[in-house]
Amino acid sequence: MANRFITKRNGTQEPFKQSKVDAALANAFNSCGYLHIPKPLYDKYQLIDFNDAFSVEDVQDKLEDLLFNSEYKDVYNHFVTYRANHALMRE
C-alpha cells in the first residue's frame, strides 16, 4: 500500500499507515481487558483489503464489520460506542 493516501476527518490527506490500523484494533481489544488480538480474528484481519478505504471512516467501518462478525461482541460494542462518542465530541 505504498504511496496510498487516506483522507482524515478534517479533509486533509496523509499517507496510509497500516500500523495505525493495527494499533486501533489492538487498542479496542486492550480496552476490553484482552492482552492481545486473538489469533483466529487476527488472521481474518490480515485478509482485509484496505485498498478501497479512502477515508478514516472507511477503515473504521471495515474494522467494525470484522468485529461485528466475530465472537468478540464486547470489543465490537466498545468499538462502536467509542466511535459514536468521538463523533459527538467532534460536533
Short mmCIF file of all heavy atoms in Angstrom, two decimals, residues 15-74:
data_model
loop_
_atom_site.label_atom_id
_atom_site.label_comp_id
_atom_site.label_asym_id
_atom_site.label_seq_id
_atom_site.Cartn_x
_atom_site.Cartn_y
_atom_site.Cartn_z
N PRO A 15 -0.30 9.94 4.20
CA PRO A 15 0.00 8.59 3.74
C PRO A 15 -0.70 7.55 4.61
O PRO A 15 -0.79 7.70 5.83
CB PRO A 15 1.52 8.48 3.88
CG PRO A 15 1.99 9.90 3.81
CD PRO A 15 0.92 10.71 4.49
N PHE A 16 -1.23 6.51 3.97
CA PHE A 16 -1.87 5.42 4.70
C PHE A 16 -0.81 4.68 5.47
O PHE A 16 0.24 4.33 4.94
CB PHE A 16 -2.56 4.47 3.72
CG PHE A 16 -3.22 3.31 4.38
CD1 PHE A 16 -4.48 3.43 4.91
CD2 PHE A 16 -2.56 2.09 4.49
CE1 PHE A 16 -5.11 2.35 5.53
CE2 PHE A 16 -3.17 1.01 5.11
CZ PHE A 16 -4.44 1.14 5.63
N LYS A 17 -1.09 4.43 6.76
CA LYS A 17 -0.15 3.70 7.62
C LYS A 17 -0.88 2.52 8.24
O LYS A 17 -1.74 2.69 9.11
CB LYS A 17 0.40 4.61 8.71
CG LYS A 17 1.26 5.72 8.17
CD LYS A 17 1.78 6.61 9.27
CE LYS A 17 2.57 7.75 8.66
NZ LYS A 17 2.76 8.84 9.58
N GLN A 18 -0.53 1.33 7.79
CA GLN A 18 -1.14 0.11 8.32
C GLN A 18 -0.93 0.01 9.83
O GLN A 18 -1.79 -0.48 10.55
CB GLN A 18 -0.56 -1.12 7.62
CG GLN A 18 -1.19 -2.43 8.05
CD GLN A 18 -2.61 -2.57 7.57
OE1 GLN A 18 -2.90 -2.30 6.42
NE2 GLN A 18 -3.50 -3.02 8.44
N SER A 19 0.18 0.54 10.31
CA SER A 19 0.48 0.46 11.74
C SER A 19 -0.58 1.18 12.58
O SER A 19 -0.87 0.76 13.70
CB SER A 19 1.86 1.02 12.04
OG SER A 19 1.94 2.38 11.66
N LYS A 20 -1.18 2.23 12.04
CA LYS A 20 -2.23 2.93 12.77
C LYS A 20 -3.49 2.07 12.87
O LYS A 20 -4.19 2.10 13.88
CB LYS A 20 -2.56 4.27 12.11
CG LYS A 20 -1.50 5.33 12.33
CD LYS A 20 -1.98 6.67 11.84
CE LYS A 20 -1.01 7.76 12.22
NZ LYS A 20 -1.53 9.09 11.90
N VAL A 21 -3.78 1.32 11.83
CA VAL A 21 -4.94 0.43 11.83
C VAL A 21 -4.68 -0.71 12.81
O VAL A 21 -5.56 -1.08 13.60
CB VAL A 21 -5.24 -0.10 10.42
CG1 VAL A 21 -6.49 -0.96 10.42
CG2 VAL A 21 -5.38 1.05 9.42
N ASP A 22 -3.48 -1.26 12.77
CA ASP A 22 -3.10 -2.32 13.71
C ASP A 22 -3.29 -1.83 15.16
O ASP A 22 -3.85 -2.55 16.00
CB ASP A 22 -1.62 -2.72 13.53
CG ASP A 22 -1.32 -3.34 12.18
OD1 ASP A 22 -2.25 -3.71 11.45
OD2 ASP A 22 -0.12 -3.44 11.86
N ALA A 23 -2.83 -0.62 15.43
CA ALA A 23 -2.94 -0.07 16.79
C ALA A 23 -4.39 0.14 17.20
O ALA A 23 -4.75 -0.12 18.35
CB ALA A 23 -2.16 1.25 16.88
N ALA A 24 -5.23 0.58 16.28
CA ALA A 24 -6.65 0.80 16.60
C ALA A 24 -7.31 -0.51 17.00
O ALA A 24 -8.07 -0.56 17.99
CB ALA A 24 -7.37 1.42 15.41
N LEU A 25 -7.03 -1.57 16.27
CA LEU A 25 -7.62 -2.87 16.61
C LEU A 25 -7.06 -3.39 17.93
O LEU A 25 -7.81 -3.87 18.79
CB LEU A 25 -7.37 -3.87 15.48
CG LEU A 25 -8.06 -5.22 15.64
CD1 LEU A 25 -9.57 -5.07 15.74
CD2 LEU A 25 -7.70 -6.14 14.48
N ALA A 26 -5.77 -3.27 18.13
CA ALA A 26 -5.15 -3.71 19.39
C ALA A 26 -5.72 -2.92 20.57
O ALA A 26 -6.01 -3.50 21.62
CB ALA A 26 -3.63 -3.55 19.32
N ASN A 27 -5.89 -1.61 20.40
CA ASN A 27 -6.44 -0.79 21.47
C ASN A 27 -7.87 -1.19 21.81
O ASN A 27 -8.26 -1.15 22.98
CB ASN A 27 -6.38 0.69 21.10
CG ASN A 27 -4.98 1.24 21.12
OD1 ASN A 27 -4.10 0.69 21.78
ND2 ASN A 27 -4.77 2.32 20.40
N ALA A 28 -8.64 -1.56 20.81
CA ALA A 28 -10.02 -2.00 21.07
C ALA A 28 -10.01 -3.24 21.96
O ALA A 28 -10.79 -3.34 22.91
CB ALA A 28 -10.74 -2.29 19.76
N PHE A 29 -9.14 -4.18 21.67
CA PHE A 29 -9.06 -5.40 22.49
C PHE A 29 -8.48 -5.09 23.87
O PHE A 29 -8.99 -5.59 24.88
CB PHE A 29 -8.24 -6.48 21.77
CG PHE A 29 -9.09 -7.29 20.84
CD1 PHE A 29 -9.27 -6.91 19.53
CD2 PHE A 29 -9.74 -8.43 21.28
CE1 PHE A 29 -10.08 -7.63 18.67
CE2 PHE A 29 -10.55 -9.17 20.44
CZ PHE A 29 -10.72 -8.76 19.12
N ASN A 30 -7.45 -4.27 23.92
CA ASN A 30 -6.84 -3.93 25.21
C ASN A 30 -7.84 -3.23 26.12
O ASN A 30 -7.86 -3.48 27.34
CB ASN A 30 -5.62 -3.04 25.01
CG ASN A 30 -4.46 -3.77 24.36
OD1 ASN A 30 -4.40 -5.00 24.39
ND2 ASN A 30 -3.56 -3.04 23.76
N SER A 31 -8.68 -2.38 25.57
CA SER A 31 -9.65 -1.65 26.39
C SER A 31 -10.70 -2.57 26.99
O SER A 31 -11.37 -2.19 27.95
CB SER A 31 -10.31 -0.56 25.56
OG SER A 31 -11.14 -1.13 24.57
N CYS A 32 -10.82 -3.77 26.44
CA CYS A 32 -11.77 -4.74 26.99
C CYS A 32 -11.07 -5.81 27.82
O CYS A 32 -11.67 -6.84 28.16
CB CYS A 32 -12.56 -5.39 25.85
SG CYS A 32 -13.72 -4.25 25.07
N GLY A 33 -9.80 -5.58 28.13
CA GLY A 33 -9.08 -6.48 29.02
C GLY A 33 -8.31 -7.60 28.35
O GLY A 33 -7.72 -8.44 29.03
N TYR A 34 -8.30 -7.63 27.02
CA TYR A 34 -7.53 -8.66 26.32
C TYR A 34 -6.08 -8.20 26.22
O TYR A 34 -5.81 -7.02 26.00
CB TYR A 34 -8.08 -8.89 24.90
CG TYR A 34 -9.49 -9.44 24.88
CD1 TYR A 34 -10.59 -8.59 24.87
CD2 TYR A 34 -9.71 -10.81 24.85
CE1 TYR A 34 -11.88 -9.09 24.84
CE2 TYR A 34 -11.00 -11.32 24.82
CZ TYR A 34 -12.08 -10.45 24.82
OH TYR A 34 -13.35 -10.95 24.78
N LEU A 35 -5.17 -9.13 26.35
CA LEU A 35 -3.75 -8.79 26.25
C LEU A 35 -3.28 -8.69 24.81
O LEU A 35 -2.26 -8.06 24.52
CB LEU A 35 -2.91 -9.81 27.01
CG LEU A 35 -3.20 -9.91 28.52
CD1 LEU A 35 -2.34 -10.98 29.16
CD2 LEU A 35 -2.96 -8.55 29.19
N HIS A 36 -4.01 -9.33 23.91
CA HIS A 36 -3.63 -9.33 22.50
C HIS A 36 -4.87 -9.64 21.65
O HIS A 36 -5.90 -10.04 22.19
CB HIS A 36 -2.52 -10.36 22.22
CG HIS A 36 -2.95 -11.75 22.55
ND1 HIS A 36 -2.90 -12.26 23.83
CD2 HIS A 36 -3.46 -12.74 21.77
CE1 HIS A 36 -3.35 -13.51 23.81
NE2 HIS A 36 -3.70 -13.82 22.59
N ILE A 37 -4.73 -9.44 20.36
CA ILE A 37 -5.81 -9.80 19.44
C ILE A 37 -5.78 -11.32 19.26
O ILE A 37 -4.73 -11.87 18.92
CB ILE A 37 -5.60 -9.12 18.07
CG1 ILE A 37 -5.52 -7.60 18.23
CG2 ILE A 37 -6.72 -9.51 17.10
CD1 ILE A 37 -5.02 -6.88 17.00
N PRO A 38 -6.89 -12.01 19.51
CA PRO A 38 -6.89 -13.46 19.34
C PRO A 38 -6.49 -13.87 17.92
O PRO A 38 -6.91 -13.24 16.94
CB PRO A 38 -8.34 -13.85 19.66
CG PRO A 38 -8.84 -12.73 20.53
CD PRO A 38 -8.16 -11.50 20.01
N LYS A 39 -5.66 -14.89 17.83
CA LYS A 39 -5.10 -15.29 16.53
C LYS A 39 -6.13 -15.55 15.46
O LYS A 39 -5.96 -15.07 14.33
CB LYS A 39 -4.18 -16.50 16.70
CG LYS A 39 -3.58 -16.94 15.36
CD LYS A 39 -2.24 -17.53 15.50
CE LYS A 39 -1.66 -18.06 14.22
NZ LYS A 39 -1.83 -17.27 13.03
N PRO A 40 -7.22 -16.27 15.72
CA PRO A 40 -8.19 -16.50 14.62
C PRO A 40 -8.74 -15.19 14.06
O PRO A 40 -8.90 -15.04 12.85
CB PRO A 40 -9.29 -17.33 15.27
CG PRO A 40 -8.63 -18.00 16.43
CD PRO A 40 -7.60 -17.02 16.92
N LEU A 41 -8.99 -14.23 14.92
CA LEU A 41 -9.50 -12.94 14.44
C LEU A 41 -8.39 -12.17 13.75
O LEU A 41 -8.62 -11.52 12.72
CB LEU A 41 -10.09 -12.12 15.59
CG LEU A 41 -10.78 -10.85 15.08
CD1 LEU A 41 -12.16 -11.19 14.54
CD2 LEU A 41 -10.88 -9.82 16.16
N TYR A 42 -7.19 -12.23 14.28
CA TYR A 42 -6.07 -11.53 13.65
C TYR A 42 -5.83 -12.07 12.24
O TYR A 42 -5.54 -11.31 11.32
CB TYR A 42 -4.80 -11.64 14.50
CG TYR A 42 -3.69 -10.79 13.97
CD1 TYR A 42 -3.70 -9.41 14.18
CD2 TYR A 42 -2.64 -11.33 13.24
CE1 TYR A 42 -2.69 -8.59 13.68
CE2 TYR A 42 -1.63 -10.53 12.74
CZ TYR A 42 -1.65 -9.18 12.96
OH TYR A 42 -0.66 -8.37 12.44
N ASP A 43 -5.97 -13.38 12.08
CA ASP A 43 -5.81 -13.98 10.75
C ASP A 43 -6.85 -13.42 9.77
O ASP A 43 -6.54 -13.12 8.62
CB ASP A 43 -5.91 -15.50 10.82
CG ASP A 43 -4.72 -16.13 11.53
OD1 ASP A 43 -3.68 -15.44 11.71
OD2 ASP A 43 -4.83 -17.31 11.92
N LYS A 44 -8.09 -13.26 10.23
CA LYS A 44 -9.13 -12.67 9.38
C LYS A 44 -8.82 -11.20 9.10
O LYS A 44 -9.03 -10.72 7.98
CB LYS A 44 -10.50 -12.79 10.05
CG LYS A 44 -11.03 -14.19 10.08
CD LYS A 44 -12.38 -14.25 10.77
CE LYS A 44 -12.85 -15.69 10.88
NZ LYS A 44 -14.12 -15.79 11.61
N TYR A 45 -8.33 -10.51 10.09
CA TYR A 45 -7.96 -9.10 9.93
C TYR A 45 -6.91 -8.95 8.84
O TYR A 45 -6.98 -8.03 8.02
CB TYR A 45 -7.46 -8.55 11.27
CG TYR A 45 -6.68 -7.26 11.17
CD1 TYR A 45 -7.30 -6.08 10.78
CD2 TYR A 45 -5.33 -7.23 11.47
CE1 TYR A 45 -6.59 -4.90 10.70
CE2 TYR A 45 -4.61 -6.05 11.38
CZ TYR A 45 -5.25 -4.90 11.00
OH TYR A 45 -4.54 -3.72 10.91
N GLN A 46 -5.96 -9.85 8.82
CA GLN A 46 -4.88 -9.78 7.84
C GLN A 46 -5.39 -9.94 6.40
O GLN A 46 -4.71 -9.53 5.47
CB GLN A 46 -3.83 -10.84 8.15
CG GLN A 46 -3.16 -10.66 9.49
CD GLN A 46 -1.73 -10.26 9.35
OE1 GLN A 46 -0.96 -10.99 8.77
NE2 GLN A 46 -1.38 -9.11 9.86
N LEU A 47 -6.57 -10.50 6.24
CA LEU A 47 -7.15 -10.71 4.91
C LEU A 47 -7.94 -9.49 4.41
O LEU A 47 -8.34 -9.45 3.25
CB LEU A 47 -8.06 -11.93 4.92
CG LEU A 47 -7.38 -13.26 5.23
CD1 LEU A 47 -8.41 -14.37 5.33
CD2 LEU A 47 -6.31 -13.59 4.20
N ILE A 48 -8.16 -8.52 5.27
CA ILE A 48 -8.94 -7.34 4.86
C ILE A 48 -8.15 -6.53 3.84
O ILE A 48 -6.97 -6.24 4.02
CB ILE A 48 -9.29 -6.45 6.08
CG1 ILE A 48 -10.21 -7.19 7.03
CG2 ILE A 48 -9.94 -5.15 5.61
CD1 ILE A 48 -10.51 -6.43 8.30
N ASP A 49 -8.82 -6.17 2.76
CA ASP A 49 -8.21 -5.35 1.72
C ASP A 49 -8.57 -3.90 2.00
O ASP A 49 -9.74 -3.50 1.91
CB ASP A 49 -8.75 -5.78 0.36
CG ASP A 49 -8.16 -4.99 -0.79
OD1 ASP A 49 -7.24 -4.17 -0.56
OD2 ASP A 49 -8.62 -5.19 -1.93
N PHE A 50 -7.59 -3.10 2.33
CA PHE A 50 -7.80 -1.69 2.62
C PHE A 50 -7.59 -0.82 1.39
O PHE A 50 -7.62 0.40 1.49
CB PHE A 50 -6.89 -1.22 3.77
CG PHE A 50 -7.30 -1.76 5.10
CD1 PHE A 50 -6.60 -2.80 5.69
CD2 PHE A 50 -8.38 -1.23 5.78
CE1 PHE A 50 -6.99 -3.31 6.91
CE2 PHE A 50 -8.77 -1.73 7.02
CZ PHE A 50 -8.07 -2.77 7.58
N ASN A 51 -7.39 -1.43 0.22
CA ASN A 51 -7.15 -0.64 -0.98
C ASN A 51 -8.34 0.23 -1.38
O ASN A 51 -8.17 1.22 -2.07
CB ASN A 51 -6.75 -1.54 -2.16
CG ASN A 51 -5.33 -2.01 -2.02
OD1 ASN A 51 -4.44 -1.25 -1.66
ND2 ASN A 51 -5.09 -3.28 -2.29
N ASP A 52 -9.54 -0.15 -0.96
CA ASP A 52 -10.71 0.67 -1.29
C ASP A 52 -11.14 1.54 -0.11
O ASP A 52 -12.23 2.09 -0.10
CB ASP A 52 -11.86 -0.20 -1.77
CG ASP A 52 -12.35 -1.19 -0.73
OD1 ASP A 52 -11.65 -1.39 0.29
OD2 ASP A 52 -13.43 -1.77 -0.92
N ALA A 53 -10.28 1.66 0.89
CA ALA A 53 -10.55 2.52 2.04
C ALA A 53 -9.88 3.87 1.77
O ALA A 53 -8.67 3.98 1.79
CB ALA A 53 -10.02 1.89 3.32
N PHE A 54 -10.71 4.87 1.52
CA PHE A 54 -10.18 6.17 1.14
C PHE A 54 -10.23 7.18 2.27
O PHE A 54 -9.68 8.26 2.16
CB PHE A 54 -10.93 6.70 -0.08
CG PHE A 54 -10.85 5.77 -1.25
CD1 PHE A 54 -11.96 5.05 -1.65
CD2 PHE A 54 -9.66 5.58 -1.92
CE1 PHE A 54 -11.88 4.17 -2.73
CE2 PHE A 54 -9.57 4.71 -2.99
CZ PHE A 54 -10.68 4.00 -3.40
N SER A 55 -10.92 6.83 3.35
CA SER A 55 -11.04 7.75 4.47
C SER A 55 -10.88 6.98 5.78
O SER A 55 -10.96 5.75 5.81
CB SER A 55 -12.41 8.44 4.46
OG SER A 55 -13.43 7.52 4.78
N VAL A 56 -10.67 7.74 6.84
CA VAL A 56 -10.59 7.14 8.17
C VAL A 56 -11.88 6.37 8.46
O VAL A 56 -11.85 5.27 9.01
CB VAL A 56 -10.33 8.22 9.23
CG1 VAL A 56 -10.48 7.67 10.63
CG2 VAL A 56 -8.94 8.82 9.05
N GLU A 57 -13.01 6.94 8.07
CA GLU A 57 -14.30 6.28 8.30
C GLU A 57 -14.38 4.93 7.57
O GLU A 57 -14.90 3.96 8.12
CB GLU A 57 -15.46 7.18 7.88
CG GLU A 57 -15.63 8.39 8.76
CD GLU A 57 -16.01 8.06 10.19
OE1 GLU A 57 -16.81 7.13 10.42
OE2 GLU A 57 -15.50 8.73 11.09
N ASP A 58 -13.86 4.87 6.34
CA ASP A 58 -13.86 3.61 5.59
C ASP A 58 -13.08 2.53 6.33
O ASP A 58 -13.50 1.38 6.43
CB ASP A 58 -13.24 3.79 4.20
CG ASP A 58 -14.05 4.66 3.27
OD1 ASP A 58 -15.27 4.83 3.50
OD2 ASP A 58 -13.46 5.19 2.31
N VAL A 59 -11.92 2.91 6.85
CA VAL A 59 -11.08 1.96 7.59
C VAL A 59 -11.81 1.50 8.84
O VAL A 59 -11.88 0.30 9.13
CB VAL A 59 -9.72 2.59 7.94
CG1 VAL A 59 -8.93 1.71 8.91
CG2 VAL A 59 -8.91 2.87 6.68
N GLN A 60 -12.38 2.44 9.59
CA GLN A 60 -13.09 2.06 10.81
C GLN A 60 -14.31 1.21 10.52
O GLN A 60 -14.64 0.31 11.28
CB GLN A 60 -13.46 3.31 11.62
CG GLN A 60 -12.25 3.95 12.24
CD GLN A 60 -12.60 5.11 13.15
OE1 GLN A 60 -13.65 5.72 13.02
NE2 GLN A 60 -11.71 5.42 14.06
N ASP A 61 -14.99 1.46 9.40
CA ASP A 61 -16.13 0.63 9.01
C ASP A 61 -15.69 -0.81 8.78
O ASP A 61 -16.38 -1.76 9.17
CB ASP A 61 -16.80 1.16 7.75
CG ASP A 61 -17.58 2.45 7.96
OD1 ASP A 61 -17.83 2.83 9.13
OD2 ASP A 61 -17.94 3.08 6.95
N LYS A 62 -14.54 -0.99 8.16
CA LYS A 62 -14.03 -2.35 7.92
C LYS A 62 -13.71 -3.05 9.24
O LYS A 62 -13.99 -4.24 9.40
CB LYS A 62 -12.81 -2.31 7.00
CG LYS A 62 -13.17 -2.01 5.55
CD LYS A 62 -11.93 -1.95 4.69
CE LYS A 62 -12.30 -1.68 3.25
NZ LYS A 62 -12.66 -2.88 2.53
N LEU A 63 -13.11 -2.33 10.18
CA LEU A 63 -12.83 -2.93 11.49
C LEU A 63 -14.12 -3.25 12.22
O LEU A 63 -14.24 -4.31 12.86
CB LEU A 63 -11.95 -1.99 12.33
CG LEU A 63 -10.53 -1.78 11.85
CD1 LEU A 63 -9.80 -0.83 12.80
CD2 LEU A 63 -9.79 -3.09 11.72
N GLU A 64 -15.09 -2.35 12.12
CA GLU A 64 -16.38 -2.59 12.77
C GLU A 64 -17.05 -3.84 12.19
O GLU A 64 -17.59 -4.66 12.94
CB GLU A 64 -17.28 -1.37 12.58
CG GLU A 64 -18.54 -1.42 13.38
CD GLU A 64 -19.32 -0.12 13.30
OE1 GLU A 64 -18.75 0.95 13.55
OE2 GLU A 64 -20.53 -0.21 12.98
N ASP A 65 -17.01 -4.01 10.88
CA ASP A 65 -17.58 -5.21 10.25
C ASP A 65 -16.88 -6.47 10.73
O ASP A 65 -17.52 -7.49 11.01
CB ASP A 65 -17.49 -5.13 8.73
CG ASP A 65 -18.44 -4.12 8.12
OD1 ASP A 65 -19.38 -3.68 8.82
OD2 ASP A 65 -18.24 -3.76 6.95
N LEU A 66 -15.57 -6.41 10.82
CA LEU A 66 -14.79 -7.55 11.31
C LEU A 66 -15.23 -7.93 12.71
O LEU A 66 -15.49 -9.11 13.00
CB LEU A 66 -13.29 -7.22 11.30
CG LEU A 66 -12.37 -8.25 11.93
CD1 LEU A 66 -12.28 -9.49 11.06
CD2 LEU A 66 -10.99 -7.66 12.17
N LEU A 67 -15.34 -6.95 13.59
CA LEU A 67 -15.72 -7.22 14.97
C LEU A 67 -17.18 -7.67 15.07
O LEU A 67 -17.50 -8.56 15.86
CB LEU A 67 -15.49 -5.98 15.83
CG LEU A 67 -14.02 -5.59 16.01
CD1 LEU A 67 -13.91 -4.22 16.66
CD2 LEU A 67 -13.27 -6.64 16.81
N PHE A 68 -18.05 -7.08 14.27
CA PHE A 68 -19.46 -7.47 14.30
C PHE A 68 -19.63 -8.95 13.95
O PHE A 68 -20.45 -9.65 14.54
CB PHE A 68 -20.27 -6.62 13.31
CG PHE A 68 -21.71 -7.01 13.23
CD1 PHE A 68 -22.60 -6.61 14.21
CD2 PHE A 68 -22.18 -7.79 12.18
CE1 PHE A 68 -23.94 -6.98 14.15
CE2 PHE A 68 -23.51 -8.16 12.11
CZ PHE A 68 -24.39 -7.75 13.10
N ASN A 69 -18.83 -9.42 13.00
CA ASN A 69 -18.93 -10.81 12.54
C ASN A 69 -18.06 -11.76 13.34
O ASN A 69 -17.84 -12.89 12.92
CB ASN A 69 -18.59 -10.88 11.05
CG ASN A 69 -19.64 -10.21 10.21
OD1 ASN A 69 -20.82 -10.53 10.31
ND2 ASN A 69 -19.25 -9.23 9.42
N SER A 70 -17.59 -11.31 14.48
CA SER A 70 -16.75 -12.15 15.33
C SER A 70 -17.51 -12.53 16.59
O SER A 70 -18.62 -12.07 16.82
CB SER A 70 -15.46 -11.41 15.72
OG SER A 70 -15.72 -10.46 16.74
N GLU A 71 -16.87 -13.35 17.39
CA GLU A 71 -17.47 -13.73 18.68
C GLU A 71 -17.17 -12.71 19.77
O GLU A 71 -17.68 -12.83 20.89
CB GLU A 71 -16.96 -15.10 19.10
CG GLU A 71 -15.45 -15.12 19.36
CD GLU A 71 -14.91 -16.50 19.64
OE1 GLU A 71 -14.62 -17.22 18.67
OE2 GLU A 71 -14.80 -16.85 20.84
N TYR A 72 -16.41 -11.68 19.45
CA TYR A 72 -15.98 -10.70 20.45
C TYR A 72 -16.93 -9.51 20.49
O TYR A 72 -16.58 -8.38 20.15
CB TYR A 72 -14.53 -10.28 20.17
CG TYR A 72 -13.62 -11.46 20.20
CD1 TYR A 72 -13.25 -12.10 19.03
CD2 TYR A 72 -13.19 -12.00 21.41
CE1 TYR A 72 -12.45 -13.23 19.06
CE2 TYR A 72 -12.40 -13.12 21.45
CZ TYR A 72 -12.03 -13.74 20.26
OH TYR A 72 -11.25 -14.85 20.29
N LYS A 73 -18.15 -9.78 20.92
CA LYS A 73 -19.19 -8.75 20.94
C LYS A 73 -18.86 -7.63 21.94
O LYS A 73 -19.25 -6.49 21.73
CB LYS A 73 -20.56 -9.35 21.25
CG LYS A 73 -21.01 -10.37 20.22
CD LYS A 73 -21.03 -9.79 18.81
CE LYS A 73 -21.51 -10.84 17.82
NZ LYS A 73 -21.08 -10.56 16.46
N ASP A 74 -18.13 -7.96 22.99
CA ASP A 74 -17.74 -6.92 23.95
C ASP A 74 -16.82 -5.91 23.27
O ASP A 74 -16.96 -4.70 23.45
CB ASP A 74 -17.08 -7.52 25.19
CG ASP A 74 -15.87 -8.42 24.89
OD1 ASP A 74 -15.78 -8.95 23.76
OD2 ASP A 74 -15.04 -8.61 25.79
#
